[in-house]
Amino acid sequence: MTKASNWATFVRLLGFLRPYRRSLGVSTVLAIASQGAAIAVLVLTGVVIDELSGSRDASTVTVEIVLILLLGTAKAALMIGRRFISGRQALGVEYDMRDALYAQLVRLSFGFYDRHQTGQLMSRATIDLQSVRFFLGYGLIFFAQHALTIATVTVVLFVYEWKLALVVLALAPVVVAIAYMYSRVSHPVLRDVQQQLGEVATVAEESIVGVHVVKSFAQERRRRERFREASDDVFRASVRANRQRALFVPLLAFVPVLVQSAVLLLAGRMVVAGSLSLGSFFAFNLLLNMLVAPLRMLGMWIGQAQRAAARPAC
């Protein structure tokens, strides 16, 4: 499949979100607001640490802690609202896609069903639809949320200490390159998994529908062997996909740890030299952890997008 056809498939999938533009916008705003509250909590945590190591004004610290609690409560409420809206939207997209697929199937000619196996069509209508629904219902929102988090946290890090922020910024190209490589190698394997799952459904459907013929000619053992072969193919394809994920996802998680170690070393020296406050040191590292998480999730969402756009032959 060419890149152009992949992009065309992705654009067609986005069309199913058109009736849910309002809920998509609301859930995106809620996701952005919850991330903003999380960033504010970390910044205030650094301020509290500076207060405790400085004048130790109890009234000021109390106000700041109350603000942290309020922001944490607001974040929780925003996350609850986003999940309710996203869940309903995801189920609505799945319903619309399944309805559209069935409407298309009943309009097709007899020749189409002569050329395509029923089990493959059933696999497209069940397993594949669930993957697409998960990506359209949740993946796009999380992707936008993570992208905004990366941009916002990076700006805040530069406000704290631009030298340390430059070290963190060196992380992005490496992670993007690894994620891009993962997307290139995972797409054909994920497509093969979908194809093999459709083959399992086909073998099961043929055996069940034709059970009288199978029993009349005593073909139970042969059909059982055929099903075992199809299952083995799914197992091997899934192992290949798991092997890729076992390599690339830990690699995406390991690279940020190296950068975090360098930041801890440099920031620790700055604190000892007096050029960086203890509160800023804690806030910077907490924000760095908040930046690492979206980068670690990048590989998963890229893989999910590849699975959603995959179009195996029926």
Side-chain angles (χ1 to χ4, degrees), residues 16 20 87-101 125-134 136-137:
F16 285 95
Y20 305 93
R88 184 176 181 84
Q89 172 187 302
L91 294 174
V93 169
E94 184 179 13
Y95 175 86
D96 293 342
M97 292 185 66
R98 185 171 287 113
D99 188 57
L101 176 60
T126 53
I127 300 172
D128 295 353
L129 271 182
Q130 289 180 355
S131 298
V132 175
R133 182 263 297 179
F134 183 78
L136 293 180

Side-chain angles (χ1 to χ4, degrees), residues 18-257:
R18 194 171 292 114
Y20 305 93
R21 290 191 298 268
R22 181 175 299 179
S23 63
L24 179 62
V26 172
S27 57
T28 302
V29 170
L30 293 178
I32 293 171
S34 66
Q35 289 299 99
I39 293 173
V41 167
L42 299 184
V43 172
L44 278 174
T45 301
V47 174
V48 170
I49 292 174
D50 280 335
E51 289 286 347
L52 293 175
S53 60
S55 60
R56 300 186 181 183
D57 186 348
S59 60
T60 303
V61 172
T62 302
V63 171
E64 292 167 350
I65 292 176
V66 171
L67 284 176
I68 290 175
L69 291 174
L70 291 175
L71 286 170
T73 304
K75 177 188 175 184
L78 291 168
M79 289 179 64
I80 292 173
R82 177 186 60 75
R83 288 185 178 275
F84 272 119
I85 295 174
S86 298
R88 184 176 181 84
Q89 172 187 302
L91 294 174
V93 169
E94 184 179 13
Y95 175 86
D96 293 342
M97 292 185 66
R98 185 171 287 113
D99 188 57
L101 176 60
Y102 181 78
Q104 176 65 18
L105 288 175
V106 297
R107 288 196 299 265
L108 294 173
S109 64
F110 291 113
F112 174 84
Y113 293 99
D114 292 336
R115 296 190 304 270
H116 297 86
Q117 297 171 320
T118 304
Q120 290 285 353
L121 297 177
M122 293 298 297
S123 177
R124 303 292 85 79
T126 53
I127 300 172
D128 295 353
L129 271 182
Q130 289 180 355
S131 298
V132 175
R133 182 263 297 179
F134 183 78
F135 179 72
L136 293 180
Y138 300 101
L140 290 177
I141 296 174
F142 278 118
F143 187 83
Q145 177 181 340
H146 292 330
L148 186 65
T149 299
I150 292 171
T152 305
V153 171
T154 301
V155 172
V156 176
L157 291 180
F158 270 98
V159 172
Y160 272 107
E161 177 53 58
W162 66 271
K163 294 178 182 178
L164 295 176
L166 287 177
V167 176
V168 176
L169 201 61
L171 163 71
V174 178
V175 174
V176 170
I178 296 174
Y180 176 74
M181 188 183 305
Y182 177 44
S183 69
R184 289 290 301 272
V185 301
S186 67
H187 179 69
V189 177
L190 292 174
R191 187 175 58 194
D192 189 38
V193 171
Q194 289 178 265
Q195 181 68 20
Q196 298 303 331
L197 285 172
E199 186 65 26
V200 169
T202 297
V203 175
E205 183 268 338
E206 289 176 347
S207 299
I208 294 172
V209 173
V211 64
H212 297 292
V213 177
V214 172
K215 288 183 174 295
S216 298
F217 290 91
Q219 295 297 307
E220 293 91 343
R221 178 177 297 180
R222 177 173 295 181
R223 296 306 300 176
R224 189 165 57 248
E225 289 296 327
R226 179 69 187 90
F227 186 83
R228 184 179 291 112
E229 291 174 1
S231 298
D232 288 343
D233 291 338
V234 172
F235 176 78
R236 285 191 290 269
S238 299
V239 167
R240 288 199 300 272
N242 246 3
R243 189 178 297 120
Q244 290 178 348
R245 184 172 178 80
L247 172 64
F248 283 98
V249 173
L251 188 60
L252 284 167
F254 176 68
V255 173
V257 172

